């Protein structure tokens, strides 16, 4: 075998291992007879009413619908908790590793989880939260984040988690769009020893217009610091749960009832509320979690994502708990107190499956091997990667240094909109290649479309589409179904357009090349250029702004913004800092521009459209690749920008 193919490790076998022949047979069945295949797959869940209608979907934008398991009834929290109690009641469901290694970690059994979820679910009902109501969750990485999600699921409330690093404005935008009734937050979060003022952010968010739907703010005491308190609106989580019974009747949910909304950035406008439903989502989240991580009963599974992203939803909370696994929740960051923390946590809790992002791997790689090698990591069995394309160099370092050349790496390609893994190696079946997410999961039918709009046959490159529905697919954009169809099903009518480009090699392996739309993937976080631009033009001194991504050694992509000031305003270092701070304030620190260049004017077509292609090339410092600039209204604009690139 070629050096660039890493075979399935010898003797790799567990109760859930799928080998190459099984993968081929199951994949064929999943696309040839999806009804039979997914009916069987659905049996992994406990249903109040077993589904008899399995797949009922149509991708034609003129008559679009997606229904999976449509006559089935179930409750997600019952699947993630109750059905494990008889056999796994004393098994650790959640292991919590705090921000500081000096704070004791916690282990919460399935039985304890049940009690906490049921009490909170009852408390939510007492506050008047009903099936279908929206609940905003703005919490640190603590077990209560999972408890909050499961409590919502138990009573059929639709949760919307807002990443703890987002600003008050981002919280307000999401509350407004989802018309949430309740927010669950904490006094403060902790990250690398610094306090994150979550409750104060909520207070500021709720001062903003259009947030009156919020009736109660439920506050969890985490750091114990003093916080402002609004009588009548704010309640302590420990107060409202104290006298609630530890049993709560679960809501019978239809498979197609909503489970959650998660906002994500796209090419245009404000973030979209991607809506996921109950049955199909849980079937595929659980199935992929078991198959791709080759789950075993004694695994200690750790996904380092934040619960504020889809990875946290599907692969910290729902997939693992539906499978009765032990899932580790880490409050901190990889570099605190030092850059060996990940591996220390692995050794402390004897983690067997470790799942992180390329950006973290690259950052740790830069700190040198010593910090890894001084730890044992003997417990590890599988390594995973998600969020952005992993460059082969980082892949090899992960493989050789972290995994000591003995552990399979599962590079999982998927999206907020897909709900669960789509392209990823099943470790007992698929030899890996550094940088490739390899082959599609069961039922997933990827295709590549070239510039002429034709399907690429065999090896080649193009825009990645999925040709038929899969169970965990998002069902709509909350409150704007047309936007959902326009965004995902209209570029290539009849197919789901991912927004990613990809290459397929001669072995049928997929290599994701990155976003082909106006989404910048910064450290695995999606940020829309439109969001950045709208944040910048909110500043009174900014007339116009354009944002583009550029290749960044650590983050994958960085943010480069061009700013045109209103007449009479002069560029200055202070103003530059002020504008960067302004973006952080409006969106959050993850949207911090890496570079801000003053642009006396922006390159535009004669019809007034900003030519981002050119701005991207200038940002990448590749002025020789600007291409055709003859369609510009004023080509001299480009010369000025190129000349001044290094001056900022
Ligand atoms: C990118 C995160 C290459 C991709 C789960 C996608 C990846 C976007 C990978 C979705 C991967 C995610 N290889 N690219 N393994 N995983 N991406 O919605 O561009 O936050 O479209 O979901 O991340 O990001 P999202």
């Amino acid at each position: 075998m070629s050096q660039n193919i890493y075979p399935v490790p010898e003797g790799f076998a567990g109760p859930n291992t799928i080998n190459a022949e099984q993968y081929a047979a199951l994949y064929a069945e999943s696309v040839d007879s999806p009804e039979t295949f997914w009916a069987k797959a659905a049996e992994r869940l406990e249903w109040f009413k077993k589904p008899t209608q399995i797949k009922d979907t149509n991708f034609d934008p003129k008559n679009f619908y997606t229904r999976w398991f449509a006559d089935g009834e179930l409750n997600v929290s019952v699947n993630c908790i109750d059905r494990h109690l008889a056999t796994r009641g004393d098994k650790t469901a959640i292991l919590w590793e705090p921000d500081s290694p000096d704070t004791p970690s916690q282990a919460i059994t399935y039985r304890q989880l049940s009690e906490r979820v049921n009490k909170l679910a009852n408390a939510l009902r007492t506050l008047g939260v009903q099936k279908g109501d929206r609940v905003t969750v703005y919490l640190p990485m603590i077990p209560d984040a999972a408890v909050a999600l499961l409590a919502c699921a138990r009573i059929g409330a639709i949760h919307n988690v807002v990443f703890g690093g987002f600003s008050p404005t981002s919280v307000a935008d999401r509350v407004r769009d989802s018309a949430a009734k309740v927010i669950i937050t904490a006094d403060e979060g902790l990250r690398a020893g610094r306090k994150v003022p979550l409750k104060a952010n909520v207070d500021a968010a709720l001062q903003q217009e259009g947030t009156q739907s919020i009736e109660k703010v439920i506050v969890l005491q985490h750091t114990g610091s003093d916080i402002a308190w609004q009588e009548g609106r704010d309640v302590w989580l420990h107060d409202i749960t104290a006298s609630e019974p530890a049993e709560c009747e679960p809501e019978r949910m239809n498979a197609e009832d909503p489970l959650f909304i998660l906002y994500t950035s796209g090419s245009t406008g404000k973030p979209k509320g991607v809506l996921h439903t109950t049955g199909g989502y849980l079937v595929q989240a659980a199935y992929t979690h078991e198959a791709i991580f080759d789950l075993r009963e004694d695994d200690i599974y750790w996904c380092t994502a934040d619960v504020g992203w889809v990875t946290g939803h599907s692969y910290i909370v729902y997939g693992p708990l539906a499978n009765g696994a032990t899932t580790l929740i880490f409050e901190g960051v990889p570099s605190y107190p030092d850059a060996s923390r990940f591996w220390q946590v692995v050794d402390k809790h004897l983690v067997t499956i470790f799942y992180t992002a390329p950006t973290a791997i690259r950052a740790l790689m830069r700190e040198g091997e010593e910090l890894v090698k001084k730890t044992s990591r003997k417990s590890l069995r599988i390594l995973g990667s998600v969020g952005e394309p992993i460059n082969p160099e980082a892949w090899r370092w992960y493989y050789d240094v972290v995994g000591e050349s003995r552990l399979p790496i599962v590079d999982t390609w998927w999206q907020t909109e897909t709900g669960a893994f789509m392209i990823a190696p099943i470790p007992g079946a698929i030899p890996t290649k550094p940088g490739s997410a390899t082959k599609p999961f069961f039922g997933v039918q990827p295709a590549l479309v070239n510039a002429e709009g034709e399907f690429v046959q065999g090896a080649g490159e193009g825009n990645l589409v999925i040709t038929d529905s899969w169970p965990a697919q998002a069902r709509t954009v909350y409150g704007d179904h047309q936007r959902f169809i326009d965004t995902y099903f209209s570029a290539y009518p009849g197919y789901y357009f991912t927004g990613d480009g990809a290459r397929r090699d001669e072995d049928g392996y997929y290599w994701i090349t990155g976003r082909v739309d106006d989404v910048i993937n910064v450290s695995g976080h999606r940020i829309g250029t439109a969001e950045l631009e709208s944040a910048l033009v909110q500043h009174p001194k900014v007339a116009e702004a354009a944002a583009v991504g550029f290749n960044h050694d650590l983050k994958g992509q960085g943010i480069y913004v061009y700013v045109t000031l209103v007449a009479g305003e002069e560029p200055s270092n202070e103003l530059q800092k002020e504008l960067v701070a302004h973006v952080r304030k409006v969106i959050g620190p993850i949207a911090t521009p890496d570079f801000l260049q003053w642009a006396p004017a922006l390159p535009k077509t004669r019809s007034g459209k900003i030519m981002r292609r050119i701005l991207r090339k200038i940002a990448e410092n590749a002025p020789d690749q600007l291409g055709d600039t003859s369609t510009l209204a004023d080509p001299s604009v480009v010369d000025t920008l190129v000349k001044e690139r290094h001056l900022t």
Side-chain angles (χ1 to χ4, degrees):
M1 273 206 199
S2 129
Q3 257 195 319
N4 282 327
I5 299 185
Y6 292 67
V8 169
E10 218 147 299
F12 188 85
N16 293 318
T17 300
I18 297 167
N19 66 29
E21 294 82 67
Q22 290 165 326
Y23 168 72
L26 286 166
Y27 183 78
E29 186 192 355
S30 72
V31 298
D32 296 341
S33 323
E35 302 264 339
T36 324
F37 180 87
W38 288 110
K40 239 184 298 170
E43 283 171 15
R44 66 178 43 251
L45 298 186
E46 187 172 299
W47 300 80
F48 296 131
K49 180 166 176 283
K50 268 200 192 326
T52 61
Q53 301 161 11
I54 306 302
K55 179 176 188 285
D56 186 18
T57 66
N58 187 354
F59 272 8
D60 178 353
K62 287 194 218 71
N63 181 29
F64 177 92
Y65 51 89
T66 315
R67 288 186 287 267
W68 283 89
F69 312 115
D71 62 342
E73 287 176 8
L74 74 166
N75 182 285
V76 166
S77 78
V78 168
N79 276 282
C80 290
I81 304 171
D82 305 40
R83 70 173 166 142
H84 304 310
L85 292 178
T87 51
R88 299 184 175 114
D90 296 320
K91 178 174 176 174
T92 300
I94 297 176
L95 258 179
W96 181 57
E97 175 64 22
D99 181 55
S100 162
D102 302 329
T103 308
S105 48
Q106 288 175 15
I108 296 162
T109 65
Y110 272 94
R111 205 179 315 284
Q112 291 165 330
L113 180 65
S114 171
E115 198 166 301
R116 283 165 74 164
V117 167
N118 281 276
K119 277 174 163 276
L120 180 56
N122 280 324
L124 288 169
R125 271 196 184 138
T126 302
L127 292 179
V129 179
Q130 295 174 0
K131 178 178 174 183
D133 285 343
R134 276 78 57 214
V135 173
T136 306
V137 176
Y138 186 58
L139 284 171
M141 285 293 289
I142 52 178
D144 303 85
V147 171
L149 268 49
L150 291 161
C152 289
R154 191 149 193 101
I155 63 168
I158 306 170
H159 58 73
N160 169 226
V161 184
V162 182
F163 171 55
F166 274 137
S167 67
T169 301
S170 294
V171 176
D173 287 345
R174 285 154 177 77
V175 164
R176 193 182 303 113
D177 191 77
S178 63
K181 202 170 194 175
V182 165
I183 295 196
I184 306 177
T185 189
D187 47 6
E188 293 171 323
L190 278 175
R191 268 174 76 80
R194 283 192 308 274
K195 292 178 167 177
V196 185
L198 296 173
K199 171 62 165 59
N201 287 351
V202 167
D203 291 339
L206 297 186
Q207 304 249 308
Q208 299 193 18
E209 266 170 50
T211 55
Q212 304 84 335
S213 59
I214 293 289
E215 294 171 8
K216 293 284 173 203
V217 176
I218 301 177
V219 188
L220 179 135
Q221 195 163 40
H222 183 45
T223 61
S225 299
D226 279 343
I227 49 169
W229 199 257
Q230 185 172 319
E231 253 353 291
R233 185 198 68 180
D234 300 347
V235 291
W236 285 111
L237 188 138
H238 57 254
D239 283 342
I240 60 166
T241 49
S243 56
E244 291 288 352
E247 266 159 44
C248 170
E249 187 62 25
E251 197 75 39
R252 277 175 86 103
M253 303 295 283
N254 180 273
E256 283 298 330
D257 281 337
L259 177 63
F260 66 86
I261 302 169
L262 194 55
Y263 286 82
T264 192
S265 299
S267 296
T268 53
K270 56 187 177 100
K272 299 180 284 282
V274 169
L275 183 123
H276 281 284
T277 54
T278 301
Y281 170 79
L282 196 65
V283 168
Q284 197 178 339
Y287 196 175
T288 48
H289 177 259
E290 178 189 286
I292 302 297
F293 294 115
D294 193 66
L295 195 66
R296 303 178 190 183
E297 189 60 43
D298 295 334
D299 274 323
I300 305 290
Y301 164 84
W302 180 17
C303 164
T304 71
D306 193 283
V307 75
W309 312 119
V310 75
T311 308
H313 285 59
S314 302
Y315 298 107
I316 293 179
V317 180
Y318 290 124
L321 295 177
N323 289 331
T326 298
T327 182
L328 192 148
I329 294 183
F330 176 44
E331 186 182 22
V333 302
S335 53
Y336 176 79
D338 67 40
S340 91
R341 183 75 188 279
F342 270 179
W343 324 122
Q344 287 166 9
V345 174
V346 165
D347 284 353
K348 177 170 171 187
H349 297 290
L350 300 175
V351 170
T352 57
I353 304 171
F354 177 74
Y355 184 36
T356 196
T359 188
I361 298 165
R362 286 191 298 265
L364 297 175
M365 189 171 143
R366 201 167 66 165
E367 302 292 327
E369 294 183 5
E370 260 328 288
L371 288 163
V372 186
K373 289 195 163 151
K374 71 179 197 188
T375 61
S376 153
R377 287 158 289 108
K378 281 285 174 282
S379 56
L380 287 172
R381 222 164 49 69
I382 292 198
L383 302 175
S385 173
V386 64
E388 49 174 316
I390 179 164
N391 47 312
E393 194 195 0
W395 195 102
R396 289 205 181 83
W397 185 85
Y398 200 23
Y399 185 84
D400 289 331
V401 180
V402 177
E404 294 177 342
S405 313
R406 64 183 177 90
L407 308 179
I409 295 182
V410 293
D411 176 6
T412 61
W413 175 83
W414 62 299
Q415 310 177 296
T416 305
E417 296 87 341
T418 71
F421 298 158
M422 298 292 278
I423 303 181
I426 289 185
I430 301 175
T432 52
K433 303 183 187 186
S436 170
T438 75
K439 301 262 193 165
F441 189 71
F442 305 134
V444 175
Q445 301 176 64
L448 302 177
V449 187
N450 65 20
E452 286 71 49
E454 296 152 352
F455 278 145
V456 176
Q457 305 296 331
E461 193 161 344
N463 286 350
L464 180 64
V465 301
I466 311 291
T467 63
D468 198 2
S469 182
W470 61 98
Q473 179 199 323
R475 299 298 193 258
T476 192
V477 166
Y478 187 73
D480 198 348
H481 194 57
Q482 195 54 45
R483 188 174 176 202
F484 181 69
I485 295 172
D486 292 348
T487 308
Y488 303 108
F489 296 93
S490 301
Y492 302 106
Y495 308 111
Y496 168 79
F497 177 43
T498 62
D500 279 327
R503 186 163 67 77
R504 187 171 48 223
D505 70 16
E506 49 294 337
D507 297 324
Y509 277 48
Y510 286 86
W511 302 71
I512 309 297
T513 50
R515 301 291 303 196
V516 294
D517 55 4
D518 290 322
V519 170
I520 310 178
N521 190 332
V522 184
S523 300
H525 305 316
R526 283 163 67 166
I527 299 170
T529 54
E531 270 173 274
L532 289 159
E533 290 159 10
S534 110
L536 282 162
V537 297
Q538 275 171 34
H539 192 281
K541 293 183 181 168
V542 174
E544 206 170 22
V548 296
F550 67 98
N551 291 333
H552 188 288
D553 284 349
L554 277 184
K555 303 182 194 176
Q557 284 195 293
I559 299 172
Y560 197 113
V561 298
Y562 299 85
V563 172
T564 307
L565 294 174
V566 296
E569 292 297 340
E570 287 301 318
S572 69
N573 285 343
E574 286 75 60
L575 184 54
Q576 188 170 356
K577 286 200 195 99
E578 189 179 317
L579 293 181
V580 169
H582 173 75
V583 174
R584 289 172 63 97
K585 194 170 142 240
V586 174
I587 307 177
I590 59 167
T592 309
D594 297 274
F595 290 106
L596 186 152
Q597 177 170 357
W598 304 116
L602 292 168
K604 290 185 185 162
T605 60
R606 290 191 191 99
S607 60
K609 198 167 174 280
I610 295 174
M611 290 193 76
R612 281 169 206 287
R613 173 176 59 82
I614 290 176
L615 292 175
R616 273 196 286 268
K617 290 297 171 197
I618 298 172
E620 280 167 14
N621 205 13
D624 49 326
Q625 295 169 25
L626 291 180
D628 183 10
T629 55
S630 63
T631 54
L632 285 175
D634 175 7
S636 73
V637 166
V638 173
D639 301 334
T640 315
L641 291 179
V642 169
K643 224 171 27 221
E644 293 186 353
R645 181 183 185 279
H646 285 296
L647 300 178
T648 52

